[in-house]
Amino acid sequence: MRLYSRLNNVAGWVVFGLSLLVYLLTLEPTASFWDCGEFIACSYKLLVPHPPGAPTFLLLGRLVSLLSFGDVTKVAVLVNGLSALSSAFTILFLFWSITLLAKKLVLRRPGLHDDRGLEPTLGQTLLILGAGAVGALSFAFSDSFWFNAEEAEVYAMSALGTATVVWLMLKWENRADEADSDKWLVLLAYVIGLSIGVHLLNLLAIPALGFLYYFRRQPTPNWAGGIATLVISFVLVGAILVGIIPGLPTLAGNFEVFFINTLGLPFNSGIVLFMLLLVGLIWLGFRQSFVRRSQLLNTFMLCFVFILIGYSSYLIVPIRSSYHPTINENDPEDVLSFVSYLKREQYGSRPLFYGPHVFAQPIDQIDAGPRYVRQGDKYVVAEQKQELVYRAEDKMLLPRIYADASTAQRVPYYQNWVDIREGVKPTMGQNLSFLFRYQMGHMFWRYFLWNYAGRESDVQQAGTLWPTETRQGLPERVAESKARNQFFAIPLILGLLGLFYQARRDSKNALIVGLLFVFTGLAIVVYLNQPPIEPRERDYTFTGATYAFAIWIGLGVLALADLLGKVIKADTARAGVVTLLGLLAPGLLLAQGWDDHDRSGRYNSVDSARNLLNSCAPNAILFTNGDNDTFPLWYAQEVEGVRTDVRIAVLPYMNTDWHIDQMRQRSYQSAPVAFSLESSRYAQGTNDYLPYAENPSVGEVNLKDFLRLVQEDSDLLKVSYGEGGPTLLSFPSPTFYLPVDTAAVLQSGIVPKERRGHLVSKMTFNVSKRALEKKSLAILDILATNNWKRPIYFATSVALSQDHLGLEPYFQLEGLAWRVLPLRNPDYNPRGNDDGYVAKEILYHNLMQRFAYRGLNNPSIYYDETNLMFPASYRDKFVRLANAYLAAGDTATAKQVADKCLSVLPDAAIPYDYYSPALVPALVAGGEVKRAQQLMDVLLDHTQRALAYYTSHANPLMERELNQHMGTAQQLYLAAQRVGDAQRAERAYQLLVPYLR
């Protein structure tokens, strides 16, 4: 083996090992927030996650989870480790891709050809390997990629798919003249097929790979050929994205409906016949390739088949769904529901090339195709999917400021970026301004610069940190943030050097890398058409572009060597010097990024899930809000077996029939949830929402009578909308009541002794005049049908009042959840923020003895914005409990609660927040005056600095932060007033004066 080849292999594995070591040392030891809990749970038991699923990831996750050997606490770290391993392999293939490109430049053999026979000198070898190491390690320690490497999400494995296909294509390019070189293309097609079962991002590498193929096969490329290559590449992407992924299952579904409904054959006959037809067409394609002796057609057919083989991992979705597992999102058990699952129909769509502007009003709606379900021995139409129709003059090309179901709430956020007037169609200039300023500038270039220039902080909407910026005048949350990373733009500068160097010396390969950058970055921006408000930062979407730029960072080492050529003559010495200079880039990324990427010792997400489950009485029904509420709970129950008696009802999913149907099934120790309405009354397209239609003769509605009328589809509730419009069930009054059998409730033992006077014979509540969504109907059904046999809870993170349905007067606070009881809180204040009667004994037991707070008192552990949400909720509950004891005259216990709060959530680890001032009265009452004053002084200083900063910058994107600090100042004022501290009350008041109107 030649020296260069041997050193290239060894250096690649060293870079792999170093990257893997860093990822394992900083790995999250359990399930983190967002989708990770869901993916770990679904990997462990091969369940069905949210559309479109990730079957390749789940299968590999299942394999690595077996290494836990029964220790369920090790499952999370093993599946997280799969992302770490995928990321390290990504770095390995990136290293080898950079050295393949660098070798052409160092040996002055630009272009695409076989250079395996050329052996670099020792100095040239060190320079090539140095370029590979600098570029690969810079990507390894870039902010977004490192984040993905530490948790069980699909983006690390998706990046591996991209890196693998790029490396395979470069390997093919070096062997394209060999008779069997097309085997590399077939392997590449198989990797693409497998990657479909992870994420679709690597499909965007196809245009770059298409040009590499064109340049290698065409000795004299021209503009016409380049345009043709681009068109063919787009056709290939579209063929896979539309033709193969949902297209083949859609055709199979059409065959199934035809053969069953028209010809009367048994179920699945159409699918079998479709598969036979598909296999026959594939055989015919191969036969034609042999008859015509066409290597191109034969290679195309092999690639098509191997894409299908890789894509076949998706068969696990309907197979597992047919067994009705505990997590079975969308219930895609047959080919028709499977197509809907693949198309992500539950999430709706965004206009891409042509569509309505933000103020456009629909003038009609048309049927957009039927949704079939099995009934008897046929498929019947469950509903007609609807599509809104807009006037032609209300549509525009490339709509970026567009209309959909969330238009009304988004308009103010559009106005933060573009000066649009309410009700006036945006101009194309305004439309494109939003594209360039927000979608490309804020949601791509800002993220890109986070990785290679510097990041201001982890506050949402945080900007780029440039070398000239200082900490002066910044609030502590920004200035002292572990996520404040200063790279002095060194990786960016090195990458730009590499870009210009490659463009000047090797324009063809520079174009290929450039296309990879554009299509995995800016093209995604255009395709996603992101709205002006997102629940979290989306930088993980664009790691393909930071991957491409890392190639140029590596080639920047060659540019430095060229610049130093006249100063340092010896090749070996020059290679060593420029490699050391280049390693400054990944060295800075590693040093600056370690503290905010080190998740070791962080158990907050799983502890929050355990604590929420343990807030509930046995056999409870728990209504939860969204991803960060629900997915950690799924992990805790499915993997670690925590409180499987609690039935989790996910409010966003309760607008679907499949989730309600699944609640009717038994789940581990949880019995089926009782409903009075039949499944048909919750079918999609039926009772999706019930409008308010006032009936003056009806003052209030008996909930049980109302549900009976809904079950009967009674004409008494029906209202029609316009001539030929839909007929819907409605509700005649916003005031509902539920009769209560007080004797039975008392006998059940659910009423605490001190609350017997709060028991009511009729629960009266106001659901508001908004339309009742399907989830609201289901909540009311459960409440009425349950008859107090099972405890019913709302997670306290369910903050929207419309989801509470006016039940707040009957809430009892027992932990991180409110229990609904037929006990009316005499102190309920509809204008207050303190919902729920404080059940002191239960809440004390949970907060002080039962809940886990692992690592929340450790200042060395990094908690980002998402991870600070639940500690804030803990503080709120400690405050409520301390004040309840104070109100009862028990100052000793109130101080004990405050002490516990400050012990498990100290300012050094979890900075004081909006809820902290309310601990002051308990501290003062317990004789801790100096400690209370210190708390107020620290928070006053922080708040003063933050308000000065956010006011002076007047950035509408930071309005949330400004409001939070104003709220904190108000709480400080109230706390200081309550304990008679006039000096601090005056100081807090002065902070508020500029904002008083």
Side-chain angles (χ1 to χ4, degrees):
M1 184 184 288
R2 294 171 181 261
L3 177 63
Y4 169 75
S5 179
R6 185 163 58 247
L7 289 177
N8 188 38
N9 289 334
V10 170
W13 286 108
V14 168
V15 168
F16 165 88
L18 177 60
S19 303
L20 182 60
L21 177 64
V22 169
Y23 299 149
L24 293 178
L25 289 175
T26 58
L27 197 71
E28 181 132 7
T30 186
S32 53
F33 284 115
W34 299 108
D35 298 347
C36 302
E38 178 195 28
F39 278 129
I40 294 171
C42 291
S43 295
Y44 183 54
K45 293 184 176 177
L46 288 183
L47 309 175
V48 182
H50 66 274
T56 304
F57 180 91
L58 299 186
L59 288 167
L60 293 173
R62 172 59 180 162
L63 287 176
V64 299
S65 72
L66 296 175
L67 299 176
S68 64
F69 299 110
D71 184 353
V72 293
T73 62
K74 297 294 189 294
V75 171
V77 75
L78 285 167
V79 184
N80 289 341
L82 178 62
S83 288
L85 188 63
S86 299
S87 298
F89 272 112
T90 301
I91 300 308
L92 175 65
F93 290 127
L94 174 58
F95 174 88
W96 284 335
S97 297
I98 294 172
T99 56
L100 281 167
L101 293 169
K103 185 180 179 184
K104 298 177 184 297
L105 291 166
V106 170
L107 298 180
R108 301 188 182 281
R109 290 267 308 207
L112 292 94
H113 42 68
D114 186 355
D115 56 22
R116 287 175 295 162
L118 301 175
E119 182 70 8
T121 65
L122 179 59
Q124 290 173 328
T125 296
L126 293 178
L127 184 59
I128 295 168
L129 300 183
V134 169
L137 291 175
S138 292
F139 184 59
F141 306 137
S142 61
D143 182 61
S144 302
F145 184 73
W146 193 350
F147 181 92
N148 293 337
E150 300 177 303
E151 62 181 21
E153 252 281 19
V154 297
Y155 298 103
M157 194 174 291
S158 175
L160 174 58
T162 301
T164 305
V165 298
V166 171
W167 176 73
L168 286 172
M169 201 66 187
L170 291 172
K171 293 285 282 186
W172 168 86
E173 181 268 321
N174 252 355
R175 295 158 174 77
D177 295 329
E178 296 177 356
D180 62 347
S181 64
D182 285 355
K183 65 185 179 184
W184 292 92
L185 301 179
V186 175
L187 178 57
L188 185 149
Y190 178 60
V191 173
I192 288 176
L194 285 175
S195 297
I196 292 171
V198 180
H199 203 280
L200 301 178
L201 284 175
N202 82 331
L203 294 180
L204 295 172
I206 289 177
L209 304 183
F211 270 90
L212 194 154
Y213 183 89
Y214 170 67
F215 287 147
R216 188 64 173 90
R217 289 300 192 199
Q218 177 55 258
T220 57
N222 52 52
W223 280 101
I227 293 172
T229 300
L230 194 61
V231 170
I232 293 170
S233 298
F234 279 135
V235 169
L236 285 175
V237 173
I240 298 172
L241 195 61
V242 178
I244 292 179
I245 297 174
L248 291 178
T250 299
L251 279 174
N254 293 338
F255 268 66
E256 175 76 355
V257 172
F258 174 78
F259 282 101
I260 279 67
N261 286 6
T262 305
L263 302 184
L265 297 179
F267 286 122
N268 297 323
S269 301
I271 298 173
V272 172
L273 291 170
F274 173 79
M275 292 300 296
L276 291 174
L277 178 61
L278 179 62
V279 171
L281 289 173
I282 291 172
W283 175 84
L284 184 62
F286 277 115
R287 179 171 176 78
Q288 284 297 308
S289 72
F290 284 111
V291 169
R292 298 170 182 266
R293 297 186 177 276
S294 172
Q295 181 180 349
L296 182 63
L297 178 58
N298 188 263
T299 302
F300 175 81
M301 291 303 303
L302 282 171
C303 289
F304 175 68
V305 168
F306 272 84
I307 287 175
L308 291 182
I309 293 172
Y311 176 48
S312 67
S313 65
Y314 258 104
L315 291 175
I316 190 179
V317 173
I319 290 171
R320 289 294 295 144
S321 178
S322 66
Y323 284 91
H324 306 293
T326 46
I327 298 176
N328 187 18
E329 298 200 44
N330 287 57
D331 192 22
E333 63 179 346
D334 57 53
V335 66
L336 300 174
S337 55
F338 178 52
V339 170
S340 174
Y341 182 85
L342 285 174
K343 291 182 176 179
R344 298 164 53 96
E345 288 180 354
Q346 75 175 56
Y347 299 119
S349 61
R350 298 170 182 173
L352 184 56
F353 296 115
Y354 187 66
H357 65 81
V358 67
F359 300 118
Q361 296 297 320
I363 57 174
D364 196 4
Q365 61 180 15
I366 59 174
D367 293 340
R371 186 177 71 88
Y372 290 98
V373 295
R374 289 187 182 184
Q375 193 174 97
D377 59 354
K378 291 186 180 296
Y379 289 101
V380 299
V381 178
E383 66 169 324
Q384 285 286 348
K385 289 172 271 188
Q386 299 295 307
E387 183 177 303
L388 295 176
V389 177
Y390 296 87
R391 295 182 304 174
E393 56 266 33
D394 283 338
K395 295 182 180 181
M396 61 194 312
L397 290 172
L398 202 68
R400 304 294 97 182
I401 307 176
Y402 59 89
D404 66 6
S406 305
T407 293
Q409 68 187 54
R410 286 208 315 261
V411 168
Y413 297 98
Y414 278 123
Q415 291 172 334
N416 287 337
W417 294 96
V418 185
D419 185 19
I420 56 174
R421 292 171 54 198
E422 190 82 28
V424 178
K425 180 179 180 179
T427 66
M428 182 53 73
Q430 291 170 328
N431 188 60
L432 294 178
S433 175
F434 182 75
L435 167 64
F436 290 116
R437 292 187 62 206
Y438 175 76
Q439 293 182 331
M440 288 188 177
H442 192 69
M443 298 300 285
F444 174 72
W445 289 116
R446 177 174 64 106
Y447 293 149
F448 172 75
L449 293 171
W450 274 7
N451 286 280
Y452 295 134
R455 181 174 178 176
E456 188 179 50
S457 71
D458 64 355
V459 175
Q460 190 158 344
Q461 316 293 354
T464 302
L465 183 60
W466 294 105
T468 55
E469 297 184 38
T470 66
R471 300 172 187 265
Q472 188 174 358
L474 296 175
E476 283 78 359
R477 180 74 178 80
V478 176
E480 306 302 328
S481 172
K482 287 184 170 68
R484 186 176 177 82
N485 296 328
Q486 177 60 274
F487 307 137
F488 301 101
I490 289 174
L492 176 66
I493 295 168
L494 192 59
L496 291 174
L497 284 173
L499 163 60
F500 294 128
Y501 184 78
Q502 188 185 34
R504 189 162 57 91
R505 299 292 183 90
D506 190 356
S507 58
K508 290 180 181 177
N509 280 312
L511 176 62
I512 291 165
V513 178
L515 287 171
L516 184 64
F517 178 85
V518 169
F519 281 102
T520 57
L522 295 173
I524 295 178
V525 171
V526 175
Y527 177 76
L528 291 178
N529 198 5
Q530 291 170 311
I533 179 172
E534 293 280 3
R536 60 169 169 156
E537 301 287 12
R538 302 294 192 184
D539 56 299
Y540 52 82
T541 308
F542 304 107
T543 51
T546 52
Y547 163 89
F549 193 80
I551 295 175
W552 286 325
I553 292 177
L555 299 182
V557 173
L558 307 187
L560 286 178
D562 197 51
L563 291 172
L564 294 177
K566 294 182 180 179
V567 180
I568 306 174
K569 300 294 186 182
D571 287 352
T572 305
R574 185 167 64 251
V577 169
V578 296
T579 298
L580 289 175
L581 287 173
L583 286 173
L584 181 62
L588 262 175
L589 292 167
L590 178 62
Q592 287 284 302
W594 184 279
D595 55 359
D596 55 299
H597 289 89
D598 182 8
R599 306 192 198 182
S600 58
R602 197 162 84 182
Y603 296 90
N604 181 32
S605 60
V606 171
D607 281 351
S608 69
R610 287 172 168 270
N611 294 341
L612 177 51
L613 290 169
N614 285 328
S615 299
C616 302
N619 203 31
I621 299 169
L622 173 63
F623 294 112
T624 62
N625 199 16
D627 297 1
N628 284 335
D629 257 12
T630 302
F631 294 158
L633 298 178
W634 283 356
Y635 163 81
Q637 288 190 326
E638 297 289 343
V639 179
E640 297 192 9
V642 178
R643 294 299 306 273
T644 56
D645 61 302
V646 177
R647 176 58 64 95
I648 298 166
V650 189
L651 288 174
Y653 296 167
M654 286 181 68
N655 277 327
T656 66
D657 50 7
W658 57 265
H659 188 59
I660 293 173
D661 285 342
Q662 286 167 19
M663 291 175 65
R664 298 177 188 269
Q665 303 168 13
R666 185 172 189 87
S667 176
Y668 303 114
Q669 298 178 46
S670 173
V673 176
F675 291 88
S676 62
L677 299 182
E678 295 176 358
S679 294
S680 61
R681 306 313 306 156
Y682 288 115
Q684 217 66 22
T686 302
N687 296 327
D688 289 338
Y689 69 95
L690 286 73
Y692 168 60
E694 183 179 12
N695 186 339
S697 64
V698 179
E700 57 183 17
V701 180
N702 184 314
L703 178 56
K704 293 193 175 184
D705 289 343
F706 174 74
L707 291 170
R708 178 177 53 79
L709 293 173
V710 172
Q711 173 59 38
E712 295 171 356
D713 197 26
S714 172
D715 291 339
L716 294 173
L717 298 180
K718 288 182 178 178
V719 292
S720 297
Y721 286 86
E723 186 177 347
T727 299
L728 304 173
L729 294 183
S730 65
F731 61 101
S733 170
T735 304
F736 283 74
Y737 70 89
L738 177 65
V740 177
D741 185 344
T742 55
V745 169
L746 284 171
Q747 189 175 5
S748 70
I750 65 173
V751 181
K753 290 181 181 179
E754 71 275 11
R755 296 207 66 192
R756 288 189 175 182
H758 301 165
L759 181 62
V760 294
S761 59
K762 184 173 79 170
M763 285 178 64
T764 304
F765 50 96
N766 192 302
V767 299
S768 84
K769 296 180 180 180
R770 299 167 61 98
L772 289 176
E773 297 179 70
K774 191 190 297 285
K775 65 180 178 182
S776 303
L777 182 63
I779 293 170
L780 294 174
D781 191 353
I782 292 170
L783 183 67
T785 310
N786 180 60
N787 203 25
W788 312 110
K789 293 178 181 177
R790 297 179 69 168
I792 295 177
Y793 289 85
F794 284 84
T796 56
S797 50
V798 178
L800 296 177
S801 59
Q802 59 261 36
D803 286 337
H804 296 160
L805 298 176
L807 294 168
E808 294 93 338
Y810 307 98
F811 281 175
Q812 177 170 285
L813 183 63
E814 299 183 1
L816 296 180
W818 294 295
R819 184 171 181 175
V820 182
L821 289 168
L823 311 173
R824 187 172 181 88
N825 181 1
D827 300 322
Y828 171 69
N829 178 6
R831 296 184 178 180
N833 296 320
D834 295 336
D835 288 333
Y837 178 90
V838 177
K840 293 193 292 293
E841 291 184 9
I842 300 173
L843 188 56
Y844 181 93
H845 172 71
N846 285 332
L847 285 175
M848 305 290 284
Q849 299 167 2
R850 194 173 191 185
F851 284 2
Y853 309 97
R854 286 180 293 177
L856 294 180
N857 62 349
N858 186 346
S860 66
I861 297 176
Y862 169 63
Y863 294 102
D864 59 15
E865 198 168 56
T866 300
N867 274 275
L868 291 175
M869 292 179 183
F870 272 92
S873 185
Y874 296 146
R875 275 202 180 116
D876 175 41
K877 308 310 177 290
F878 276 116
V879 162
R880 296 289 308 280
L881 183 60
N883 286 330
Y885 277 113
L886 269 185
D890 189 348
T891 57
T893 305
K895 177 184 175 296
Q896 185 185 6
V897 171
D899 285 342
K900 176 77 171 181
C901 179
L902 293 171
S903 171
V904 298
L905 302 168
D907 177 60
I910 309 294
Y912 292 146
D913 56 23
Y914 170 88
Y915 300 105
S916 301
L919 292 170
V920 167
L923 291 172
V924 171
E928 294 272 8
V929 177
K930 287 187 177 180
R931 197 176 184 189
Q933 291 174 343
Q934 182 187 30
L935 185 156
M936 286 191 286
D937 288 340
V938 168
L939 201 47
L940 278 166
D941 289 342
H942 289 181
T943 305
Q944 180 178 6
R945 195 169 171 181
L947 285 174
Y949 174 77
Y950 290 119
T951 303
S952 64
H953 282 68
N955 185 350
L957 300 180
M958 295 298 179
E959 188 175 348
R960 183 188 65 168
E961 283 68 28
L962 179 61
N963 290 333
Q964 284 176 345
H965 291 292
M966 286 170 56
T968 302
Q970 184 181 33
Q971 292 301 308
L972 282 164
Y973 171 76
L974 295 173
Q977 264 206 332
R978 185 174 172 184
V979 298
D981 191 333
Q983 177 188 351
R984 290 174 176 81
E986 176 62 21
R987 186 179 170 192
Y989 178 75
Q990 291 303 319
L991 292 179
L992 288 168
V993 165
Y995 310 100
L996 298 176
R997 295 179 181 177

